[in-house]
Amino acid sequence: MSIDLKTIKHISKLSRISVDEKKAEKLAGDLNSIFDFIEKLNELKTDNVEPLTSVAETTLKLRSDEVKSKNLRDQVIKNSPKENEDYFVVPKVIE
Amino acid sequence: MSKNKSEYLINRHDNQYEVVIGLEVHAQVTSESKLFSTSATKFGAEPNTQVSLVDAAFPGMLPVINEYCVKQAIKTGIGLKAKINKRSVFDRKNYFYADLPQGYQISQFKDPIVGEGKVILDMPDGQKEVGIERLHLEQDAGKSIHDLDPKNTFVDLNRSGVALMEIVSKPDLRSPDEVNAYIKKLRSIMRYLGTCDGNMQEGSLRADVNVSVRKKGAKEFGTRCEIKNVNSIKFMQMAIEYEANRQVDLIEDGQTIDQETRLFDTKKNETRSMRSKEDAHDYRYFPDPDLLPLEISDDFIENLKSEIPELPDEKKKRFIEKFKLSTYEANILVSDIETSNYFENVIKKSDVKLATNWIIGELFAALNEKNLEITESPISAGNLSKLINLIKDGTISGKIAKTVFEQMMEGDKDPKKIVEEKGLKQESDPKALEALIDKVIDDNRDKATEYKSGKVKLFGFFVGQVMKVSGGKANPQLVNEILKKKL
Amino acid sequence: MSDITKQSLSELVKNIKGKKLSSSEVTKAFVERSEKSKELNAYITEDYANALNKAKKFDEKPNLDLKLPGIPMAVKDLFCTRDLRTTAGSKILNNFVPTYESTVTQNIWNEGAILMGKLNCDEFAMGSSNETSFFGNVQNPIDKNLVPGGSSGGSSSAVAAQLTPITIGTDTGGSIRQPASFTGTVGLKPTYGSCSRYGIVAFASSLDQAGPMAQNVKDCALLQEVISSYDEKDSTSIDFKRNEYSKELTKDIKGKKIGIPKEYRVDGMPKEIEDLWKKGIEFAKDCGAEIIDISLPHTNYALPTYYIVAPAEASSNLARYDGVKYGFRAEGENLIDMYEKTRSEGFGAEVQRRIMIGTYVLSSGYYDAYYLKAQKVRKLIKNDFDDAYKKVDAILTPSTPSSAFKIGEKTNDPVSMYLNDIFTVPVNLAGLPGISIPAGHDTKGYPLGLQIIGKAFDEQNILNIAYAMEEKINFKNNITDWWIK
Ligand SMILES: [Mg+2]
Ligand SMILES: [Zn+2]
């Protein structure tokens, strides 16, 4: 298989990571060699195999409906890159 | 546009188009804390004051599911006569947006908690069944505020992580009226169950509306467009109307319809394509590795079934059969849990027929005029019941009752007290009435003579006079009887 | 008392409990040695003044019933520590100061230990040589310009160089065991679900596990006992009966059945590794264990499976680093531009590469061919182990296919770098516990490790086997303090 530059551009868009031509070419090279290696899986027949998501052989535990987290606004906002006491701030979004 | 019977069709030239609508309703689960975190869900809090480290997706924070939200979803599923899936899986829906702190929404994709069900609508020309495709649990996103600053968008994460039920209908709806009935019915069921407050102003109930059109009689569906996040029934109806006509115009013009996501602009009353749709179709769903599959037992489901109250359809049936209400009356009285509760409280101790008439008639009109919900009614069910009994046992006449009712609307007063204080009690003592009537006949000798000589129409005049003299309190039935004798 | 830093954890605990040493003396000794060892670049953030203060406080009112009384330690910078910068080795978290504490580190502080600082690691734990860290590569104390392994490279370097008596790392595909092997130290990756993931910067959620790193097996057992706990804040934490691993530690492993998987004899495996393995088998026999040949037929598919599963989860786990809530932000013309610049400038090349791989294998049209396929193969790999454990109690393999390599040697060839984890990755995919113990040296004098893989929740058993073999192997790390002028 071969991952072309168009595909690299597409996945970089989905990943929200900008790539220029040079970086795209490098990534295409790397990804192609990695996927060559990954293609090995095609040797295996897995039609009747159940996929395994988690090895934890237990079910989801349920917590009770209690409010424990109080107002943490200061803590939550403290680390944000744009100064504002009440909100997170991002460049204007136009729908 | 034409309406043959109640069919909703769009006419262009010689073609008639049918509109096919499916809804993805997002209903906020009624719960104290969020789906995967322990912060509060209260509406209207100061921005970012109900945001935990989990909600704001801090590094190393992990989701832990709220049992109550799971129960609420299952209850809703039971209310929709749907299949409850004993094993369901939470998936991540990956996309970037300012109000989506994790960069993904935890939702359910392949294995939702609730499968197929149905909702029955009462339309003017009969019942209509709308299929439910599925119901799944997912997280709400935060809120982006675009108008506080010219250059920046502000983000409030209070809603981030609040539990939503996404209820997906089959494409069974065919008109804006059916959509109206469907939303109202869903809302009613969830309010009966206490699983969603259905408050559309507060965003507790929103819908993505999928609209397509096809020539009448066609078997294949047309290409659909999804109108995102519409938050009132009226806007849904307007959006459908606009969108259906837009699509018909395109077809008539020989153009094709792009499957796309659109927004309803409430100011311009039109739908338009969303700018940020670019890669909206590749959400890269995969099972959330922070969460294991949710497995629930038969016991768990059975316990919840035992908590399910009588739902509108069943209640309606009972009202018609047991109380001999008309379908129309029953529909009105069960449409809302609060109304049906009120009704049932009133009839505990009073006549059903009178209660039905007074609630649907006087009470609704009065509440409407004051713009009040039934829960805010100044007249309690107990006092309305007393009023009805006063009519029933002849203590007051229907006419006087209206006066008393008006006074009750000014504040919850015991009708008996009002009647006593104002002396409105009906005069039913024959002796007292005879004296009254004698006086009236005496004062109107000439008219009495006319009556006796055959002018029977004058009987009404005498009744009126007696009532007037008695200040409306005379028992009309007795007045009739005695007058007939005396004249 | 001289040479405090040469003492093992157990000795230090004994000396503090016996009042032969104070926490301040111990802390001061490790702080001083750490300060003299800047060239190793093992630390990202030092917190020495606070550590000395805490030691003083401890000494004023010492609680000697604790398991780690006044013991100073530095931890991998993937664990969130309250009020102390946590970077995950990345520029994107360069200025991030958590207001919360990971469960694993909290467990450690609850037993009386004192935080000295945060240790270097590959960016978001993605790497096998510590070369992907935004804060530069780490020197292996064994030799100049030698990688310490990764991703817990700062941790392995710091323990081997005795900058900290013990430490903790995280292991997603070998990130504790491989660096332990490269530095002649002991590292345990516990069963998935043994140590809470709460407060650990996530790489791949279904694989990540925190674990202890130490100079010897006994210290490792004690630290495992402290960090392992059931945690309601982590939905994948498992509520099982946890042993007092250090108390129950025994060298009596007579009759234990140890499996030797034939598939681990990979093509091109250096003879030194082959010999080490043989030697290990003999040691195990000497300890009274029974050696049984087994097969783990899907071993060769583990690495390709891992390089689908781990990047897929990572691509999603790292979506939260978007410049909005915390961390680095590059200014952009609009929201999308801000995202793209922030993530392009904030993440290093390897992290970007893995996000791309992960995004690709999950993207529409490729999910079934890659992600779903990998999940199925993962099941086959787990089945292999389940079958093997019907016959044996533990499995013995080399930890790595080579000894430590030179800095820069493999940076241009991702696949050859990934091959480092060929023996460790299957263990993560199957969620099993695995321990690496130093077992010998190659011709260059670099340490080599052996890995003992256990059944799920059977940490005690592999610790016992490691403890018994450790005595027979009698490994000595030759560290010359070359970096101290
Ligand atoms: Mg939708
Ligand atoms: Zn949804």
Side-chain angles (χ1 to χ4, degrees):
Chain A
M1 78 155 306
S2 176
I3 299 168
D4 57 17
L5 289 179
K6 202 175 141 239
T7 309
I8 295 286
K9 289 270 168 68
H10 175 63
I11 56 181
S12 76
K13 202 86 210 153
L14 283 179
S15 317
R16 292 284 186 257
I17 293 175
S18 62
V19 295
D20 53 25
E21 286 307 312
K22 205 176 136 214
K23 190 164 150 192
E25 268 166 39
K26 168 91 171 78
L27 274 166
D30 290 345
L31 262 59
N32 277 313
S33 69
I34 293 161
F35 278 94
D36 280 347
F37 163 71
I38 286 173
E39 297 301 322
K40 188 172 175 58
L41 293 185
N42 292 332
E43 295 167 8
L44 288 174
K45 260 201 134 20
T46 52
D47 298 350
N48 299 315
V49 183
E50 267 294 300
L52 178 79
T53 301
S54 176
V55 292
E57 280 169 350
T58 164
T59 64
L60 198 51
K61 283 191 192 64
L62 308 166
R63 68 160 225 280
S64 64
D65 182 28
E66 280 170 79
V67 175
K68 287 184 186 158
S69 178
K70 303 286 181 252
N71 177 4
L72 297 178
R73 179 155 78 186
D74 294 345
Q75 275 193 52
V76 165
I77 301 262
K78 187 185 100 162
N79 274 292
S80 75
K82 279 271 178 190
E83 279 302 319
N84 188 299
E85 281 179 9
D86 301 329
Y87 293 98
F88 298 98
V89 181
V90 297
K92 187 104 173 167
V93 180
I94 304 146
E95 273 295 348
Chain B
M1 191 174 308
S2 85
K3 276 188 186 172
N4 308 329
K5 286 175 262 166
S6 67
E7 209 176 1
Y8 180 82
L9 295 169
I10 295 174
N11 290 327
R12 283 290 188 287
H13 308 113
D14 294 331
N15 296 322
Q16 283 195 313
Y17 291 89
E18 179 185 43
V19 184
V20 176
I21 307 152
L23 291 185
E24 295 163 28
V25 170
H26 285 101
Q28 179 179 332
V29 176
T30 301
S31 67
E32 293 295 323
S33 64
K34 294 183 181 178
L35 181 54
F36 294 111
S37 84
T38 64
S39 38
T41 57
K42 283 203 187 66
F43 178 80
E46 287 286 297
N48 291 306
T49 55
Q50 295 180 354
V51 184
S52 74
L53 298 166
V54 176
D55 308 324
F58 273 70
M61 290 300 107
L62 298 169
V64 181
I65 197 166
N66 183 338
E67 175 175 36
Y68 188 65
C69 295
V70 171
K71 288 183 171 171
Q72 295 284 62
I74 295 172
K75 276 188 174 180
T76 308
I78 295 169
L80 300 175
K81 315 274 181 276
K83 180 172 179 286
I84 309 300
N85 292 325
K86 284 159 68 184
R87 183 179 189 277
S88 67
V89 174
F90 288 95
D91 297 284
R92 291 185 185 178
K93 179 180 182 179
N94 295 283
Y95 65 96
F96 286 89
Y97 200 70
D99 55 24
L100 187 74
Q102 293 165 137
Y104 55 84
Q105 175 197 35
I106 306 178
S107 180
Q108 297 188 299
F109 185 50
K110 273 222 287 282
D111 302 296
I113 187 161
V114 175
E116 292 191 336
K118 63 178 180 212
V119 167
I120 308 290
L121 307 184
D122 286 289
M123 301 308 294
D125 49 355
Q127 290 198 330
K128 159 144 190 166
E129 186 178 310
V130 178
I132 298 294
E133 179 74 37
R134 57 185 281 158
L135 175 155
H136 68 252
L137 277 168
E138 63 183 25
Q139 299 177 299
D140 203 351
K143 202 168 85 186
S144 293
I145 303 150
H146 305 297
D147 52 9
L148 281 181
D149 186 290
K151 282 204 183 112
N152 297 300
T153 289
F154 288 1
V155 181
D156 172 11
L157 296 180
N158 279 349
R159 288 196 80 103
S160 166
V162 166
L164 300 178
M165 297 180 278
E166 181 172 329
I167 303 165
V168 183
S169 82
K170 303 213 170 191
D172 288 349
L173 297 156
R174 293 289 176 272
S175 71
D177 282 349
E178 287 184 2
V179 167
N180 175 42
Y182 172 74
I183 297 279
K184 283 190 174 149
K185 189 60 177 279
L186 260 190
R187 186 176 179 274
S188 164
I189 292 170
M190 293 190 291
R191 284 173 54 81
Y192 267 73
L193 292 164
T195 57
C196 169
D197 67 20
N199 191 329
M200 298 189 88
Q201 281 89 47
E202 295 181 1
S204 299
L205 203 65
R206 297 108 73 185
D208 298 341
V209 187
N210 287 287
V211 181
S212 66
V213 297
R214 62 180 174 191
K215 285 217 177 105
K216 195 190 166 188
K219 287 265 179 301
E220 298 278 298
F221 289 127
T223 304
R224 68 189 160 89
C225 289
E226 181 181 1
I227 311 157
K228 279 267 173 212
N229 220 13
V230 191
N231 60 10
S232 89
I233 295 179
K234 206 174 136 217
F235 289 151
M236 286 176 209
Q237 294 181 303
M238 286 160 73
I240 291 163
E241 203 143 316
Y242 176 88
E243 180 60 19
N245 279 285
R246 185 187 73 90
Q247 293 182 12
V248 168
D249 288 343
L250 281 173
I251 294 169
E252 287 286 315
D253 219 29
Q255 298 185 54
T256 53
I257 294 151
D258 290 334
Q259 182 170 341
E260 63 178 359
T261 306
R262 299 177 70 84
L263 272 182
F264 182 63
D265 185 326
T266 54
K267 287 189 192 94
K268 294 186 187 149
N269 183 20
E270 60 182 33
T271 68
R272 64 183 149 81
S273 192
M274 271 172 92
R275 276 214 212 176
S276 50
K277 63 177 181 179
E278 205 173 0
D279 43 36
H281 296 303
D282 202 345
Y283 291 125
R284 291 157 285 136
Y285 282 99
F286 76 108
D288 190 331
D290 286 333
L291 293 162
L292 303 165
L294 173 63
E295 287 176 28
I296 41 185
S297 65
D298 288 321
D299 278 359
F300 193 86
I301 299 170
E302 285 310 311
N303 277 336
L304 290 171
K305 273 190 186 153
S306 71
E307 290 174 21
I308 302 286
E310 184 185 37
L311 293 171
D313 287 345
E314 288 76 37
K315 202 178 279 278
K316 186 174 108 186
K317 200 163 159 249
R318 180 166 62 89
F319 282 6
I320 291 171
E321 281 169 7
K322 195 169 161 197
F323 303 133
K324 310 287 173 237
L325 299 191
S326 70
T327 309
Y328 168 78
E329 290 166 335
N331 266 337
I332 291 181
L333 290 174
V334 304
S335 67
D336 183 80
I337 177 110
E338 315 290 0
T339 306
S340 76
N341 283 343
Y342 189 93
F343 171 72
E344 296 210 73
N345 281 330
V346 172
I347 61 168
K348 261 185 207 153
K349 285 181 183 162
S350 64
D351 180 73
V352 172
K353 194 72 210 151
L354 277 171
T356 307
N357 291 340
W358 273 85
I359 292 171
I360 295 180
E362 300 299 319
L363 183 67
F364 279 5
L367 290 177
N368 220 353
E369 194 182 312
K370 294 198 168 191
N371 209 356
L372 294 172
E373 297 291 322
I374 189 124
T375 45
E376 302 162 316
S377 169
I379 303 178
S380 69
N383 278 339
L384 185 59
S385 169
K386 281 182 192 165
L387 179 66
I388 287 163
N389 286 335
L390 291 174
I391 303 167
K392 186 80 182 170
D393 69 12
T395 309
I396 54 172
S397 64
K399 205 168 170 197
I400 292 285
K402 284 184 186 170
T403 315
V404 177
F405 180 90
E406 271 163 31
Q407 300 223 14
M408 288 167 79
M409 275 305 284
E410 299 307 316
D412 192 26
K413 258 186 158 176
D414 188 331
K416 276 183 190 158
K417 278 208 185 106
I418 298 175
V419 169
E420 266 167 35
E421 281 166 18
K422 310 247 157 161
L424 296 172
K425 197 160 183 259
Q426 184 159 271
E427 186 54 83
S428 299
D429 176 4
K431 286 217 171 89
L433 286 177
E434 269 180 44
L436 251 173
I437 289 168
D438 286 345
K439 192 174 180 294
V440 167
I441 295 176
D442 220 38
D443 289 350
N444 298 282
R445 274 274 145 230
D446 46 341
K447 289 220 164 70
T449 318
E450 278 181 53
Y451 175 81
K452 278 176 194 153
S453 63
K455 221 172 172 190
V456 280
K457 267 189 189 165
L458 280 168
F459 191 76
F461 165 79
F462 281 102
V463 174
Q465 284 301 306
V466 175
M467 294 309 285
K468 195 178 164 192
V469 174
S470 74
K473 288 183 289 182
N475 182 324
Q477 239 171 313
L478 278 176
V479 170
N480 271 317
E481 281 168 29
I482 299 168
L483 256 180
K484 259 183 201 148
K485 267 190 273 168
K486 297 255 170 185
L487 284 168
Chain C
M1 198 174 288
S2 65
D3 283 348
I4 289 175
T5 58
K6 288 209 163 54
Q7 295 182 27
S8 68
L9 172 69
S10 320
E11 288 169 302
L12 292 168
V13 170
K14 206 176 89 198
N15 286 328
I16 289 179
K17 286 192 175 182
K19 303 202 168 137
K20 296 203 177 82
L21 281 175
S22 68
S23 170
S24 296
E25 287 171 284
V26 174
T27 306
K28 196 159 159 270
F30 281 100
V31 164
E32 277 174 5
R33 187 164 166 88
S34 293
E35 277 186 325
K36 280 191 277 184
S37 303
K38 288 202 192 297
E39 194 176 337
L40 296 179
N41 199 28
Y43 282 86
I44 289 175
T45 305
E46 298 160 346
D47 201 26
Y48 302 150
N50 270 328
L52 292 165
N53 259 329
K54 283 182 200 160
K56 213 173 121 206
K57 281 223 180 80
F58 179 88
D59 290 331
E60 282 163 13
K61 230 181 142 191
N63 182 350
L64 300 177
D65 295 330
L66 299 175
K67 286 178 176 168
L68 303 170
I71 299 290
M73 72 184 283
V75 302
K76 185 178 187 177
D77 204 17
L78 214 63
F79 294 89
C80 289
T81 44
R82 190 181 297 114
D83 300 332
L84 188 64
R85 181 172 77 139
T86 299
T87 71
S90 182
K91 178 181 175 184
I92 215 157
L93 284 176
N94 190 12
N95 56 6
F96 176 62
V97 180
T99 56
Y100 51 95
E101 189 78 31
S102 84
T103 297
V104 160
T105 47
Q106 188 61 57
N107 288 345
I108 291 173
W109 318 138
N110 288 349
E111 287 296 339
I114 289 165
L115 177 62
M116 283 198 298
K118 307 296 289 290
L119 298 171
N120 209 333
C121 57
D122 279 301
E123 185 179 7
F124 286 99
M126 297 178 192
S128 304
S129 64
N130 216 112
E131 291 166 290
T132 72
S133 169
F134 173 68
F135 301 91
N137 53 254
V138 172
Q139 295 281 345
N140 188 331
I142 301 292
D143 199 0
K144 200 171 162 68
N145 294 330
L146 197 64
V147 303
S151 64
S152 310
S155 298
S156 67
S157 176
V159 170
Q162 293 159 347
L163 313 186
T164 179
I166 40 167
T167 187
I168 45 172
T170 60
D171 189 318
T172 304
S175 280
I176 286 175
R177 290 156 293 158
Q178 184 256 19
S181 176
F182 276 15
T183 54
T185 55
V186 179
L188 170 70
K189 186 212 84 90
T191 308
Y192 184 80
S194 164
C195 297
S196 170
R197 294 187 295 111
Y198 177 86
I200 303 174
V201 176
F203 164 12
S205 309
S206 79
L207 300 161
D208 294 345
Q209 260 299 289
M213 300 175 78
Q215 308 229 16
N216 61 54
V217 175
K218 198 175 167 195
D219 292 357
C220 193
L222 178 58
L223 190 50
Q224 173 62 11
E225 186 178 311
V226 171
I227 63 176
S228 175
S229 66
Y230 172 64
D231 186 5
E232 286 178 349
K233 289 185 281 190
D234 173 1
S235 298
T236 61
S237 173
I238 294 173
D239 196 4
F240 66 98
K241 196 201 154 285
R242 288 159 166 86
N243 294 29
E244 290 200 81
Y245 299 108
S246 68
K247 269 199 199 141
E248 294 169 47
L249 200 60
T250 170
K251 287 172 188 159
D252 179 11
I253 59 162
K254 267 191 209 72
K256 289 280 175 202
K257 296 190 177 95
I258 297 181
I260 308 297
K262 62 168 188 266
E263 290 80 6
Y264 278 60
R265 281 189 193 91
V266 293
D267 289 344
M269 183 156 86
K271 188 165 176 304
E272 292 164 315
I273 303 288
E274 179 81 45
D275 291 345
L276 177 87
W277 198 7
K278 279 186 190 144
K279 210 172 79 184
I281 292 168
E282 291 313 311
F283 285 136
K285 278 187 193 159
D286 288 350
C287 295
E290 187 188 334
I291 301 297
I292 295 171
D293 285 327
I294 57 163
S295 171
L296 297 169
H298 297 94
T299 299
N300 267 324
Y301 302 98
L303 216 45
T305 300
Y306 176 84
Y307 275 96
I308 291 170
V309 173
E313 293 181 11
S315 69
S316 175
N317 280 337
L318 270 60
R320 64 187 57 198
Y321 306 104
D322 58 6
V324 177
K325 291 98 42 192
Y326 43 76
F328 169 77
R329 172 191 292 196
E331 295 304 323
E333 283 162 28
N334 53 48
L335 182 64
I336 293 177
D337 190 43
M338 186 276 276
Y339 283 153
E340 290 183 345
K341 283 187 175 140
T342 296
R343 292 166 59 80
S344 173
E345 292 169 30
F347 291 135
E350 179 63 23
V351 170
Q352 293 189 31
R353 195 150 51 215
R354 295 210 198 180
I355 291 174
M356 298 274 185
I357 297 169
T359 303
Y360 183 64
V361 298
L362 290 174
S363 67
S364 113
Y366 298 99
Y367 182 90
D368 287 3
Y370 292 113
Y371 186 73
L372 191 65
K373 179 92 186 178
Q375 280 193 311
K376 289 176 166 196
V377 180
R378 187 173 181 186
K379 176 77 178 166
L380 295 175
I381 290 165
K382 182 165 186 296
N383 289 348
D384 283 356
F385 281 103
D386 288 347
D387 289 344
Y389 283 128
K390 286 174 192 153
K391 287 178 266 176
V392 299
D393 302 308
I395 293 166
L396 180 70
T397 75
S399 299
T400 55
S402 76
S403 62
F405 45 88
K406 289 286 176 191
I407 290 167
E409 197 180 310
K410 297 189 177 179
T411 37
N412 291 321
D413 182 358
V415 173
S416 87
M417 187 69 95
Y418 297 170
L419 286 168
N420 263 290
D421 295 330
I422 191 158
F423 298 144
T424 48
V425 149
V427 181
N428 299 78
L429 288 171
L432 303 173
I435 188 169
S436 175
I437 54 168
H441 296 96
D442 69 0
T443 48
K444 287 172 276 186
Y446 298 166
L448 294 169
L450 284 174
Q451 172 177 239
I452 304 154
I453 307 165
K455 295 179 188 174
F457 312 113
D458 204 11
E459 275 80 354
Q460 188 71 62
N461 185 41
I462 58 170
L463 283 163
N464 290 347
I465 294 169
Y467 194 41
M469 287 182 63
E470 181 183 50
E471 189 181 44
K472 297 276 179 212
I473 294 167
N474 193 24
F475 175 87
K476 288 275 180 298
N477 222 0
N478 28 23
I479 289 177
T480 59
D481 288 3
W482 57 263
W483 64 93
I484 297 177
K485 265 92 208 186

